PDB file of all heavy atoms in Angstrom:
ATOM      1  N   MET A   8     291.578 -23.976 229.129  1.00 38.00           N
ATOM      2  CA  MET A   8     291.548 -23.825 230.591  1.00 38.00           C
ATOM      3  C   MET A   8     290.756 -22.583 230.941  1.00 38.00           C
ATOM      4  O   MET A   8     290.905 -21.542 230.330  1.00 38.00           O
ATOM      5  CB  MET A   8     292.978 -23.709 231.116  1.00 38.00           C
ATOM      6  CG  MET A   8     293.028 -23.625 232.610  1.00 38.00           C
ATOM      7  SD  MET A   8     294.718 -23.394 233.194  1.00 38.00           S
ATOM      8  CE  MET A   8     295.378 -25.005 232.885  1.00 38.00           C
ATOM      9  N   SER A   9     289.883 -22.716 231.852  1.00 38.00           N
ATOM     10  CA  SER A   9     289.069 -21.559 232.202  1.00 38.00           C
ATOM     11  C   SER A   9     289.833 -20.654 233.145  1.00 38.00           C
ATOM     12  O   SER A   9     290.648 -21.101 233.918  1.00 38.00           O
ATOM     13  CB  SER A   9     287.765 -22.010 232.845  1.00 38.00           C
ATOM     14  OG  SER A   9     288.055 -22.636 234.069  1.00 38.00           O
ATOM     15  N   MET A  10     289.538 -19.407 233.042  1.00 42.00           N
ATOM     16  CA  MET A  10     290.169 -18.456 233.925  1.00 42.00           C
ATOM     17  C   MET A  10     289.074 -17.755 234.719  1.00 42.00           C
ATOM     18  O   MET A  10     287.971 -17.579 234.225  1.00 42.00           O
ATOM     19  CB  MET A  10     290.976 -17.415 233.142  1.00 42.00           C
ATOM     20  CG  MET A  10     292.198 -17.982 232.476  1.00 42.00           C
ATOM     21  SD  MET A  10     293.043 -16.754 231.530  1.00 42.00           S
ATOM     22  CE  MET A  10     293.659 -15.693 232.800  1.00 42.00           C
ATOM     23  N   SER A  11     289.378 -17.383 235.898  1.00 42.00           N
ATOM     24  CA  SER A  11     288.378 -16.694 236.709  1.00 42.00           C
ATOM     25  C   SER A  11     288.842 -15.294 237.004  1.00 42.00           C
ATOM     26  O   SER A  11     290.015 -15.061 237.287  1.00 42.00           O
ATOM     27  CB  SER A  11     288.155 -17.454 238.013  1.00 42.00           C
ATOM     28  OG  SER A  11     289.342 -17.473 238.770  1.00 42.00           O
ATOM     29  N   TYR A  12     287.935 -14.396 236.866  1.00 46.00           N
ATOM     30  CA  TYR A  12     288.207 -13.012 237.186  1.00 46.00           C
ATOM     31  C   TYR A  12     287.253 -12.594 238.294  1.00 46.00           C
ATOM     32  O   TYR A  12     286.108 -13.007 238.324  1.00 46.00           O
ATOM     33  CB  TYR A  12     287.938 -12.106 235.978  1.00 46.00           C
ATOM     34  CG  TYR A  12     288.906 -12.319 234.846  1.00 46.00           C
ATOM     35  CD1 TYR A  12     288.636 -13.253 233.874  1.00 46.00           C
ATOM     36  CD2 TYR A  12     290.078 -11.595 234.792  1.00 46.00           C
ATOM     37  CE1 TYR A  12     289.527 -13.464 232.846  1.00 46.00           C
ATOM     38  CE2 TYR A  12     290.964 -11.789 233.761  1.00 46.00           C
ATOM     39  CZ  TYR A  12     290.689 -12.717 232.790  1.00 46.00           C
ATOM     40  OH  TYR A  12     291.571 -12.914 231.770  1.00 46.00           O
ATOM     41  N   PRO A  13     287.701 -11.748 239.207  1.00 45.00           N
ATOM     42  CA  PRO A  13     286.772 -11.232 240.185  1.00 45.00           C
ATOM     43  C   PRO A  13     285.770 -10.310 239.536  1.00 45.00           C
ATOM     44  O   PRO A  13     286.021  -9.795 238.428  1.00 45.00           O
ATOM     45  CB  PRO A  13     287.672 -10.473 241.156  1.00 45.00           C
ATOM     46  CG  PRO A  13     288.901 -10.160 240.384  1.00 45.00           C
ATOM     47  CD  PRO A  13     289.060 -11.258 239.387  1.00 45.00           C
ATOM     48  N   ARG A  73     287.952  -7.429 235.261  1.00 48.00           N
ATOM     49  CA  ARG A  73     287.339  -8.339 234.276  1.00 48.00           C
ATOM     50  C   ARG A  73     287.309  -7.627 232.929  1.00 48.00           C
ATOM     51  O   ARG A  73     286.937  -6.452 232.867  1.00 48.00           O
ATOM     52  CB  ARG A  73     285.916  -8.653 234.711  1.00 48.00           C
ATOM     53  CG  ARG A  73     285.216  -9.593 233.763  1.00 48.00           C
ATOM     54  CD  ARG A  73     283.754  -9.607 234.111  1.00 48.00           C
ATOM     55  NE  ARG A  73     283.520 -10.194 235.406  1.00 48.00           N
ATOM     56  CZ  ARG A  73     283.334 -11.478 235.621  1.00 48.00           C
ATOM     57  NH1 ARG A  73     283.346 -12.304 234.607  1.00 48.00           N
ATOM     58  NH2 ARG A  73     283.122 -11.931 236.822  1.00 48.00           N
ATOM     59  N   PRO A  74     287.716  -8.320 231.859  1.00 48.00           N
ATOM     60  CA  PRO A  74     287.703  -7.660 230.559  1.00 48.00           C
ATOM     61  C   PRO A  74     286.285  -7.258 230.177  1.00 48.00           C
ATOM     62  O   PRO A  74     285.341  -8.009 230.432  1.00 48.00           O
ATOM     63  CB  PRO A  74     288.243  -8.731 229.605  1.00 48.00           C
ATOM     64  CG  PRO A  74     288.884  -9.735 230.462  1.00 48.00           C
ATOM     65  CD  PRO A  74     288.184  -9.692 231.781  1.00 48.00           C
ATOM     66  N   ALA A  79     286.566  -8.892 226.385  1.00 46.00           N
ATOM     67  CA  ALA A  79     285.935 -10.055 226.998  1.00 46.00           C
ATOM     68  C   ALA A  79     285.815 -11.205 226.009  1.00 46.00           C
ATOM     69  O   ALA A  79     285.662 -12.346 226.414  1.00 46.00           O
ATOM     70  CB  ALA A  79     284.556  -9.679 227.521  1.00 46.00           C
ATOM     71  N   ARG A  81     288.120 -11.932 223.662  1.00 44.00           N
ATOM     72  CA  ARG A  81     289.395 -12.454 223.200  1.00 44.00           C
ATOM     73  C   ARG A  81     289.610 -13.827 223.793  1.00 44.00           C
ATOM     74  O   ARG A  81     289.122 -14.118 224.884  1.00 44.00           O
ATOM     75  CB  ARG A  81     290.521 -11.527 223.629  1.00 44.00           C
ATOM     76  CG  ARG A  81     290.577 -10.269 222.795  1.00 44.00           C
ATOM     77  CD  ARG A  81     291.798  -9.475 223.124  1.00 44.00           C
ATOM     78  NE  ARG A  81     291.824  -9.093 224.522  1.00 44.00           N
ATOM     79  CZ  ARG A  81     292.898  -8.642 225.132  1.00 44.00           C
ATOM     80  NH1 ARG A  81     294.015  -8.532 224.479  1.00 44.00           N
ATOM     81  NH2 ARG A  81     292.845  -8.307 226.400  1.00 44.00           N
ATOM     82  N   SER A  82     290.376 -14.614 223.098  1.00 44.00           N
ATOM     83  CA  SER A  82     290.682 -15.919 223.654  1.00 44.00           C
ATOM     84  C   SER A  82     291.632 -15.769 224.808  1.00 44.00           C
ATOM     85  O   SER A  82     292.282 -14.744 224.975  1.00 44.00           O
ATOM     86  CB  SER A  82     291.322 -16.798 222.569  1.00 44.00           C
ATOM     87  OG  SER A  82     292.568 -16.255 222.231  1.00 44.00           O
ATOM     88  N   SER A  83     291.697 -16.843 225.613  1.00 43.00           N
ATOM     89  CA  SER A  83     292.539 -16.748 226.798  1.00 43.00           C
ATOM     90  C   SER A  83     294.005 -16.579 226.428  1.00 43.00           C
ATOM     91  O   SER A  83     294.783 -16.008 227.181  1.00 43.00           O
ATOM     92  CB  SER A  83     292.371 -18.000 227.654  1.00 43.00           C
ATOM     93  OG  SER A  83     292.681 -19.131 226.893  1.00 43.00           O
ATOM     94  N   GLU A  84     294.392 -17.060 225.226  1.00 42.00           N
ATOM     95  CA  GLU A  84     295.776 -16.902 224.840  1.00 42.00           C
ATOM     96  C   GLU A  84     296.104 -15.448 224.554  1.00 42.00           C
ATOM     97  O   GLU A  84     297.208 -14.992 224.747  1.00 42.00           O
ATOM     98  CB  GLU A  84     296.082 -17.745 223.581  1.00 42.00           C
ATOM     99  CG  GLU A  84     296.127 -19.234 223.816  1.00 42.00           C
ATOM    100  CD  GLU A  84     294.755 -19.828 223.922  1.00 42.00           C
ATOM    101  OE1 GLU A  84     293.756 -19.152 223.580  1.00 42.00           O
ATOM    102  OE2 GLU A  84     294.642 -20.983 224.357  1.00 42.00           O
ATOM    103  N   ARG A  86     294.640 -12.941 225.983  1.00 46.00           N
ATOM    104  CA  ARG A  86     294.566 -12.109 227.187  1.00 46.00           C
ATOM    105  C   ARG A  86     295.918 -12.099 227.862  1.00 46.00           C
ATOM    106  O   ARG A  86     296.733 -13.010 227.671  1.00 46.00           O
ATOM    107  CB  ARG A  86     293.531 -12.701 228.142  1.00 46.00           C
ATOM    108  CG  ARG A  86     292.135 -12.447 227.683  1.00 46.00           C
ATOM    109  CD  ARG A  86     291.185 -12.920 228.750  1.00 46.00           C
ATOM    110  NE  ARG A  86     289.847 -12.974 228.213  1.00 46.00           N
ATOM    111  CZ  ARG A  86     289.000 -13.932 228.475  1.00 46.00           C
ATOM    112  NH1 ARG A  86     289.336 -14.902 229.261  1.00 46.00           N
ATOM    113  NH2 ARG A  86     287.805 -13.908 227.957  1.00 46.00           N
ATOM    114  N   PRO A  87     296.144 -11.107 228.691  1.00 47.00           N
ATOM    115  CA  PRO A  87     297.392 -11.103 229.465  1.00 47.00           C
ATOM    116  C   PRO A  87     297.474 -12.348 230.307  1.00 47.00           C
ATOM    117  O   PRO A  87     296.507 -12.770 230.933  1.00 47.00           O
ATOM    118  CB  PRO A  87     297.240  -9.848 230.336  1.00 47.00           C
ATOM    119  CG  PRO A  87     296.258  -8.986 229.634  1.00 47.00           C
ATOM    120  CD  PRO A  87     295.346  -9.916 228.916  1.00 47.00           C
ATOM    121  N   SER A  88     298.641 -12.954 230.286  1.00 46.00           N
ATOM    122  CA  SER A  88     298.809 -14.233 230.990  1.00 46.00           C
ATOM    123  C   SER A  88     298.832 -14.044 232.472  1.00 46.00           C
ATOM    124  O   SER A  88     299.248 -13.028 233.009  1.00 46.00           O
ATOM    125  CB  SER A  88     300.111 -14.867 230.517  1.00 46.00           C
ATOM    126  OG  SER A  88     300.468 -15.894 231.357  1.00 46.00           O
ATOM    127  N   ARG A  89     298.348 -15.082 233.180  1.00 44.00           N
ATOM    128  CA  ARG A  89     298.423 -15.060 234.638  1.00 44.00           C
ATOM    129  C   ARG A  89     299.863 -15.134 235.096  1.00 44.00           C
ATOM    130  O   ARG A  89     300.183 -14.875 236.222  1.00 44.00           O
ATOM    131  CB  ARG A  89     297.654 -16.237 235.220  1.00 44.00           C
ATOM    132  CG  ARG A  89     296.177 -16.133 234.941  1.00 44.00           C
ATOM    133  CD  ARG A  89     295.483 -17.388 235.325  1.00 44.00           C
ATOM    134  NE  ARG A  89     295.456 -17.582 236.761  1.00 44.00           N
ATOM    135  CZ  ARG A  89     294.884 -18.633 237.319  1.00 44.00           C
ATOM    136  NH1 ARG A  89     294.338 -19.533 236.592  1.00 44.00           N
ATOM    137  NH2 ARG A  89     294.884 -18.764 238.619  1.00 44.00           N
ATOM    138  N   ARG A  90     300.716 -15.565 234.164  1.00 45.00           N
ATOM    139  CA  ARG A  90     302.115 -15.724 234.580  1.00 45.00           C
ATOM    140  C   ARG A  90     302.921 -14.433 234.423  1.00 45.00           C
ATOM    141  O   ARG A  90     304.114 -14.429 234.600  1.00 45.00           O
ATOM    142  CB  ARG A  90     302.753 -16.839 233.770  1.00 45.00           C
ATOM    143  CG  ARG A  90     302.147 -18.167 234.116  1.00 45.00           C
ATOM    144  CD  ARG A  90     302.805 -19.294 233.406  1.00 45.00           C
ATOM    145  NE  ARG A  90     302.357 -20.571 233.920  1.00 45.00           N
ATOM    146  CZ  ARG A  90     302.758 -21.725 233.450  1.00 45.00           C
ATOM    147  NH1 ARG A  90     303.621 -21.760 232.468  1.00 45.00           N
ATOM    148  NH2 ARG A  90     302.305 -22.845 233.940  1.00 45.00           N
ATOM    149  N   ARG A 100     295.913  -4.720 232.910  1.00 45.00           N
ATOM    150  CA  ARG A 100     294.470  -4.782 233.100  1.00 45.00           C
ATOM    151  C   ARG A 100     294.051  -4.436 234.530  1.00 45.00           C
ATOM    152  O   ARG A 100     292.922  -4.553 234.907  1.00 45.00           O
ATOM    153  CB  ARG A 100     293.943  -6.175 232.764  1.00 45.00           C
ATOM    154  CG  ARG A 100     294.456  -7.215 233.719  1.00 45.00           C
ATOM    155  CD  ARG A 100     293.929  -8.573 233.323  1.00 45.00           C
ATOM    156  NE  ARG A 100     294.307  -9.517 234.339  1.00 45.00           N
ATOM    157  CZ  ARG A 100     294.341 -10.817 234.189  1.00 45.00           C
ATOM    158  NH1 ARG A 100     294.027 -11.312 233.035  1.00 45.00           N
ATOM    159  NH2 ARG A 100     294.654 -11.618 235.144  1.00 45.00           N
ATOM    160  N   ARG A 214     291.043 -35.660 235.480  1.00 79.00           N
ATOM    161  CA  ARG A 214     289.907 -34.736 235.514  1.00 79.00           C
ATOM    162  C   ARG A 214     289.659 -34.243 236.932  1.00 79.00           C
ATOM    163  O   ARG A 214     289.370 -33.059 237.156  1.00 79.00           O
ATOM    164  CB  ARG A 214     288.647 -35.423 234.993  1.00 79.00           C
ATOM    165  CG  ARG A 214     288.600 -35.534 233.486  1.00 79.00           C
ATOM    166  CD  ARG A 214     287.278 -36.148 233.053  1.00 79.00           C
ATOM    167  NE  ARG A 214     287.285 -36.481 231.651  1.00 79.00           N
ATOM    168  CZ  ARG A 214     287.124 -35.600 230.664  1.00 79.00           C
ATOM    169  NH1 ARG A 214     286.933 -34.345 230.962  1.00 79.00           N
ATOM    170  NH2 ARG A 214     287.162 -35.987 229.398  1.00 79.00           N
ATOM    171  N   TRP A 216     291.824 -34.008 239.302  1.00 78.00           N
ATOM    172  CA  TRP A 216     292.916 -33.098 239.681  1.00 78.00           C
ATOM    173  C   TRP A 216     292.739 -31.714 239.045  1.00 78.00           C
ATOM    174  O   TRP A 216     292.956 -30.704 239.676  1.00 78.00           O
ATOM    175  CB  TRP A 216     294.238 -33.707 239.239  1.00 78.00           C
ATOM    176  CG  TRP A 216     295.430 -32.899 239.653  1.00 78.00           C
ATOM    177  CD1 TRP A 216     295.892 -32.693 240.923  1.00 78.00           C
ATOM    178  CD2 TRP A 216     296.307 -32.182 238.798  1.00 78.00           C
ATOM    179  NE1 TRP A 216     297.006 -31.916 240.893  1.00 78.00           N
ATOM    180  CE2 TRP A 216     297.284 -31.587 239.595  1.00 78.00           C
ATOM    181  CE3 TRP A 216     296.361 -32.014 237.412  1.00 78.00           C
ATOM    182  CZ2 TRP A 216     298.302 -30.807 239.090  1.00 78.00           C
ATOM    183  CZ3 TRP A 216     297.389 -31.248 236.884  1.00 78.00           C
ATOM    184  CH2 TRP A 216     298.336 -30.655 237.727  1.00 78.00           C
ATOM    185  N   LEU A 217     292.306 -31.710 237.773  1.00 78.00           N
ATOM    186  CA  LEU A 217     292.074 -30.435 237.115  1.00 78.00           C
ATOM    187  C   LEU A 217     290.917 -29.693 237.716  1.00 78.00           C
ATOM    188  O   LEU A 217     290.918 -28.467 237.805  1.00 78.00           O
ATOM    189  CB  LEU A 217     291.824 -30.658 235.615  1.00 78.00           C
ATOM    190  CG  LEU A 217     293.031 -31.041 234.780  1.00 78.00           C
ATOM    191  CD1 LEU A 217     292.603 -31.376 233.358  1.00 78.00           C
ATOM    192  CD2 LEU A 217     294.024 -29.900 234.748  1.00 78.00           C
ATOM    193  N   ALA A 218     289.872 -30.448 238.128  1.00 70.00           N
ATOM    194  CA  ALA A 218     288.683 -29.799 238.654  1.00 70.00           C
ATOM    195  C   ALA A 218     288.968 -29.158 240.013  1.00 70.00           C
ATOM    196  O   ALA A 218     288.693 -27.996 240.232  1.00 70.00           O
ATOM    197  CB  ALA A 218     287.533 -30.809 238.760  1.00 70.00           C
ATOM    198  N   ASP A 219     289.467 -29.945 240.919  1.00 62.00           N
ATOM    199  CA  ASP A 219     289.694 -29.428 242.261  1.00 62.00           C
ATOM    200  C   ASP A 219     290.684 -30.348 242.944  1.00 62.00           C
ATOM    201  O   ASP A 219     290.282 -31.291 243.615  1.00 62.00           O
ATOM    202  CB  ASP A 219     288.367 -29.362 243.020  1.00 62.00           C
ATOM    203  CG  ASP A 219     288.553 -28.765 244.396  1.00 62.00           C
ATOM    204  OD1 ASP A 219     289.664 -28.259 244.667  1.00 62.00           O
ATOM    205  OD2 ASP A 219     287.617 -28.788 245.182  1.00 62.00           O
TER     206      ASP A 219
END
Side-chain angles (χ1 to χ4, degrees):
Chain A
M8 183 183 288
S9 66
M10 291 178 69
S11 63
Y12 292 89
R73 181 192 293 271
R81 285 187 300 166
S82 66
S83 58
E84 289 77 13
R86 286 186 193 140
S88 166
R89 294 171 69 180
R90 293 183 171 179
R100 65 181 187 200
R214 283 184 190 281
W216 184 67
L217 287 174
D219 183 9

